[in-house]
């Protein structure tokens, strides 16, 4: 029998006492609270800076030092008889501490994250995401024989572009956090929390248009002349917790250097290496000088290309192989049956899906390392069913009939 929780994930919070911690920038957690309140949930929220408070006015302030957070949360959860603790990302110091408290008192933990399947999805998992995911890595658990074979995933509604929405919410968040920082004197953010943090988003927007102009015509060359003769390296955000917590790299720079050195030494001479900037990192980091220096040092200047504003799905389709730390772009490439090498820790780094050999061997293995189509199809079904929801944190699906604008079914 299909339960309500299987039909609609939000029924997990029906008639429960729910505590929200930090969410994605913007009003998503406020909308989420209204949605689960309609199911009878009693919702509480703790704000850790004035940006949190700007988007969720009715939350409780925590303005103390993080060393006092465990005791504060323990008292709060016991006093309000919290059943479920909900957060965005599970690697922030605040959320690491919150998970300890929740586990100690037996409260459920649910973690939101950007979609494993992008675009058009968000992720919601119990206990943790990415390297902390509870999803099985045993292929026997995602084969069709272990699923409801008569159920097919619903059609996915396209969200459209979300960059401008995310940029607007981020600017409001950082401006509010800067103006109200005296209310939260001990708070430490994973980025500088001041009004100046709005500047990278403005700079990123300018760079987006500049590189779109500068790189015009490049995508056509890659998808025609160089089709199936280049390796794609989609870079991640410089302070992504998936780099800092779930990879062997200290920074994006160390990953870039390892890939270029391996490419120069081991890749076929007739291939290119294409490194693509992450769109949300445009205003923060720029790796032109590092890449140019390494390419010159290793005598591969004509074979290394650094791009910024090209259409990623087409680049994946025409790549001979894709190299990632643990980006969900790798999962998109797997779904397109492109050979993928994961250099960090990722939920989809599994036999039959990705290349398990070392990076130095990948360059020559890629032409014959196509993922197994049956395993890919079944894994995507399993992943979608258990973790993915059609929607966005930053832009609502029109006419969804729900506060969040997310299709939870």
């Amino acid at each position: 029998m299909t339960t309500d929780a299987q039909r609609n994930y939000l029924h997990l919070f029906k008639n429960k006492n729910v505590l929200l911690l930090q969410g994605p920038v913007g009003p998503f957690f406020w909308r989420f609270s209204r949605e689960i309140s309609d199911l009878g949930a009693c919702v509480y929220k703790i704000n850790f800076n004035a940006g949190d408070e700007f988007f969720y006015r009715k939350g409780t302030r925590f303005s103390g030092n993080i060393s006092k957070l465990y005791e504060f949360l323990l008292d709060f959860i016991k006093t309000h008889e919290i059943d479920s603790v909900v957060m965005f990302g599970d690697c922030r110091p605040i959320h690491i501490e919150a998970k300890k408290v929740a586990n100690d008192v037996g409260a459920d933990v649910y973690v939101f994250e950007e979609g494993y399947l992008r675009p058009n999805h968000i992720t919601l998992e119990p206990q943790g995401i990415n390297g902390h995911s509870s999803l099985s890595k045993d292929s026997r658990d995602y084969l069709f024989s272990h699923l409801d074979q008569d159920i097919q995933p619903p059609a996915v509604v396209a969200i459209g572009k979300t960059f401008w929405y995310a940029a607007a919410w981020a600017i409001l968040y950082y401006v509010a956090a800067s103006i109200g920082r005296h209310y939260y004197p001990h708070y430490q953010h994973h980025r500088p929390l001041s009004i100046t943090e709005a500047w990278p988003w403005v700079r990123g927007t300018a760079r987006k248009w500049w590189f779109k102009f500068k790189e015009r015509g490049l995508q056509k060359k890659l998808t025609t002349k160089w089709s199936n003769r280049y390796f794609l390296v989609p870079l991640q955000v410089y302070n992504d917790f998936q780099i800092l917590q779930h990879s062997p790299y200290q920074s994006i720079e160390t990953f870039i250097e390892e890939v270029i050195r391996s490419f120069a030494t081991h890749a076929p001479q007739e291939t290119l290496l294409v490194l693509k900037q992450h769109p949300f990192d445009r205003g923060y980091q720029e790796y032109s000088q590092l890449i140019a220096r390494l390419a010159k040092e290793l005598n591969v200047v004509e074979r290394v290309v650094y791009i910024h504003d090209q259409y990623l799905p087409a680049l994946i389709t025409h790549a001979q192989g894709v190299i990632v730390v643990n980006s969900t772009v790798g999962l998109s490439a797997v779904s397109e049956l492109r050979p993928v090498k994961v250099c960090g820790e990722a939920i989809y780094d599994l036999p039959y899906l990705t290349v398990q050999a070392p990076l130095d061997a990948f360059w020559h293995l890629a032409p014959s390392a196509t993922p197994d189509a049956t395993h890919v199809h079944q894994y995507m079904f399993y992943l979608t069913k258990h973790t993915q929801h059609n929607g966005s944190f930053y832009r609502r699906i029109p006419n969804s009939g729900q506060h969040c604008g997310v299709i939870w079914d």
Side-chain angles (χ1 to χ4, degrees):
M1 179 180 292
T2 304
T3 66
D4 282 346
Q6 288 173 319
R7 286 200 300 266
N8 188 322
Y9 210 89
L10 291 192
H11 279 73
L12 291 168
F13 306 104
K14 185 176 183 179
N15 300 324
K16 298 290 183 68
N17 293 334
V18 180
L19 173 61
L20 306 181
L21 300 179
Q22 284 193 309
V25 293
F28 179 83
F29 260 21
W30 170 246
R31 294 168 178 168
F32 178 73
S33 72
R34 295 176 62 195
E35 203 152 309
I36 61 176
S37 293
D38 290 347
L39 296 174
C42 185
V43 186
Y44 302 89
K45 173 76 166 68
I46 295 177
N47 293 324
F48 297 91
N49 64 60
D52 294 344
E53 190 171 335
F54 179 83
F55 287 107
Y56 204 111
R57 305 294 175 83
K58 296 182 179 180
T60 298
R61 287 179 181 171
F62 175 76
S63 56
N65 191 286
I66 194 170
S67 64
K68 305 293 184 182
L69 181 58
Y70 183 97
E71 183 180 348
F72 174 86
L73 288 175
L74 183 63
D75 179 69
F76 192 98
I77 289 173
K78 286 183 175 180
T79 300
H80 299 283
E81 300 180 334
I82 298 298
D83 301 297
S84 302
V85 179
V86 182
M87 60 192 72
F88 177 71
D90 61 359
C91 290
R92 300 179 186 185
I94 286 170
H95 292 162
I96 292 173
E97 202 70 6
K99 285 181 67 175
K100 292 178 184 176
V101 179
N103 290 331
D104 286 348
V105 300
D108 295 325
V109 173
Y110 293 95
V111 184
F112 279 106
E113 184 56 279
E114 304 290 353
Y116 291 146
L117 302 178
R118 302 183 197 176
N120 305 322
H121 291 90
I122 62 173
T123 297
L124 178 59
E125 282 205 70
Q127 280 303 315
I129 43 86
N130 294 311
H132 296 148
S133 173
S134 58
L135 286 177
S136 173
K137 292 194 173 184
D138 189 333
S139 63
R140 292 172 295 183
D141 290 328
Y142 64 77
L143 295 178
F144 274 134
S145 59
H146 296 268
L147 298 175
D148 299 320
Q149 296 186 48
D150 58 331
I151 298 176
Q152 294 298 319
V156 175
V157 177
I159 305 301
K161 295 181 179 180
T162 60
F163 175 81
W164 302 111
Y165 292 86
W169 298 140
I171 289 172
L172 286 172
Y173 183 88
Y174 285 107
V175 168
S178 179
I179 292 173
R181 63 182 179 274
H182 57 283
Y183 293 115
Y184 301 87
H186 301 288
Y187 179 74
Q188 292 185 334
H189 201 56
H190 56 284
R191 281 179 173 163
L193 199 65
S194 71
I195 198 167
T196 59
E197 190 64 10
W199 167 242
W201 287 88
V202 176
R203 181 169 56 193
T205 301
R207 283 179 174 174
K208 174 181 172 65
W209 292 108
W210 164 242
F211 285 115
K212 186 173 184 178
F213 170 77
K214 183 180 179 181
E215 296 170 1
R216 64 193 186 282
L218 181 56
Q219 176 132 357
K220 185 176 180 180
K221 289 181 181 179
L222 290 173
T223 56
T224 53
K225 177 183 177 181
W226 287 100
S227 180
N228 208 37
R229 289 200 293 145
Y230 65 85
F231 292 93
L232 178 65
V233 184
L235 302 177
Q236 291 168 237
V237 176
Y238 80 97
N239 62 350
D240 189 340
F241 282 115
Q242 303 316 310
I243 300 293
L244 304 177
Q245 300 287 336
H246 300 297
S247 88
Y249 304 103
Q250 297 179 337
S251 65
I252 296 294
E253 287 88 345
T254 55
F255 170 64
I256 290 173
E257 181 167 357
E258 177 179 293
V259 170
I260 294 179
R261 289 189 181 280
S262 179
F263 173 80
T265 305
H266 299 284
Q269 289 294 318
E270 68 276 10
T271 58
L272 292 183
L273 182 67
V274 179
L275 300 104
K276 186 184 183 302
Q277 179 82 351
H278 192 288
F280 282 0
D281 220 18
R282 288 192 194 98
Y284 294 93
Q285 297 290 323
E286 226 284 325
Y287 303 107
S288 297
Q289 292 185 358
L290 170 66
I291 292 171
R293 177 179 63 78
L294 288 169
K296 183 178 180 180
E297 175 189 331
L298 298 166
N299 198 30
V300 287
V301 171
E302 301 300 322
R303 297 173 56 210
V304 174
V305 181
Y306 178 39
I307 62 176
H308 298 73
D309 201 67
Q310 307 298 319
Y311 185 57
L312 188 57
L315 294 175
I316 292 172
T317 300
H318 290 270
Q320 185 174 114
V322 177
I323 301 100
V324 297
V325 177
N326 46 26
S327 169
T328 54
V329 176
L331 186 58
S332 299
V334 168
S335 70
E336 292 292 322
L337 302 183
R338 307 313 299 157
V340 174
K341 173 58 189 171
V342 176
C343 297
E345 184 180 358
I347 58 167
Y348 57 87
D349 188 21
L350 304 171
Y352 303 105
L353 302 186
T354 62
V355 174
Q356 302 297 298
L359 177 61
D360 289 350
F362 177 71
W363 313 104
H364 287 279
L365 289 175
S368 58
T370 302
D372 181 85
T374 300
H375 277 261
V376 170
H377 178 64
Q378 294 173 359
Y379 183 76
M380 293 300 175
F381 187 103
Y382 172 79
L383 185 68
T384 302
K385 178 178 179 180
H386 291 283
T387 71
Q388 300 303 283
H389 305 282
N390 190 188
S392 168
F393 295 120
Y394 312 108
R395 179 181 184 180
R396 289 187 285 190
I397 296 177
N399 305 316
S400 66
Q402 298 177 327
H403 296 295
C404 290
V406 172
I407 300 172
W408 299 105
D409 297 340

